[in-house]
Amino acid sequence: MTDIAVQIPETSRRLDAIDRKILMVLQEDASLSVAEIGDRVGLSSTPCWKRIQRLEADGVILKRVALVDQNKIGLGISVFVSVESSDHSDAWLKKFAEAVSAMPEVMEFYRMAGDVDYMLRVVVADMQSYDVFYKKLISAVPLKNVTSRFAMEKIKSVTALPIPAVVAA
């Protein structure tokens, strides 16, 4: 194993067990008061609040949001879209990334390794909405191949990351 494979980002080294507990609590319910979070992790309000502020300032906590049930707001179709390109230039990627990032239907957008170049997770109301999205996608930049896979059933979906335990130095 090389050193590159086991390197831990600098911020992760500074997270102690209490920081990790705070992150687990916030990922479960970010609407809790600082006092409630502090009670759950064994801190009083002021030190808990200071830790949360530091985690936000360090970019560990990106934002706090409400999770919405896509079906209850009429977005019943989830589509996983794989994209292959024959052009791998920086200029093409920049144009493609800007176009895809501006599409509100795209929930996640990844550059991949392997036989697919890009993967998108898209949510839409119905097949007609997906067709409109698809036409917008294929007109953005030249693409080699686009494959759409429609989710039949959501079996597991979590937003909480598995917070690794503190690594001993």
Side-chain angles (χ1 to χ4, degrees):
M1 191 183 301
T2 67
D3 288 342
I4 294 172
V6 295
Q7 285 182 345
I8 298 171
E10 183 62 34
T11 304
S12 293
R13 290 191 197 126
R14 295 189 319 226
L15 299 179
D16 64 15
I18 292 176
D19 289 335
R20 293 166 193 277
K21 286 179 187 177
I22 289 170
L23 292 173
M24 287 187 280
V25 169
L26 283 172
Q27 286 188 111
E28 187 64 33
D29 186 355
S31 71
L32 294 173
S33 70
V34 173
E36 290 172 309
I37 297 167
D39 284 344
R40 292 186 186 193
V41 302
L43 288 177
S44 62
S45 293
T46 300
C48 183
W49 177 241
K50 287 181 179 179
R51 283 177 180 259
I52 292 169
Q53 287 180 316
R54 181 179 49 80
L55 291 165
E56 289 174 338
D58 289 349
V60 176
I61 297 173
L62 301 175
K63 63 174 101 172
R64 296 183 232 178
V65 299
L67 300 177
V68 177
D69 184 321
Q70 73 183 65
N71 293 307
K72 290 184 179 175
I73 61 166
L75 298 173
I77 297 182
S78 293
V79 189
F80 295 89
V81 182
S82 53
V83 176
E84 295 176 54
S85 171
S86 7
D87 187 345
H88 298 280
S89 68
D90 288 338
W92 182 92
L93 174 55
K94 184 175 187 232
K95 185 175 178 184
F96 182 60
E98 286 173 0
V100 170
S101 297
M103 297 174 181
E105 304 90 344
V106 177
M107 304 305 299
E108 296 178 78
F109 176 28
Y110 299 96
R111 188 168 61 87
M112 307 294 289
D115 61 341
V116 170
D117 297 315
Y118 303 93
M119 183 67 73
L120 290 65
R121 183 173 70 87
V122 175
V123 295
V124 292
D126 51 31
M127 194 57 70
Q128 183 179 0
S129 300
Y130 182 71
D131 189 45
V132 170
F133 167 81
Y134 177 83
K135 289 173 182 172
K136 192 168 42 169
L137 176 68
I138 63 171
S139 68
V141 293
L143 300 171
K144 178 180 174 185
N145 187 38
V146 177
T147 303
S148 304
R149 294 172 179 88
F150 295 86
M152 302 287 291
E153 176 185 10
K154 184 186 290 187
I155 296 170
K156 179 181 179 181
S157 176
V158 298
T159 59
L161 295 171
I163 306 293
V166 178
V167 179

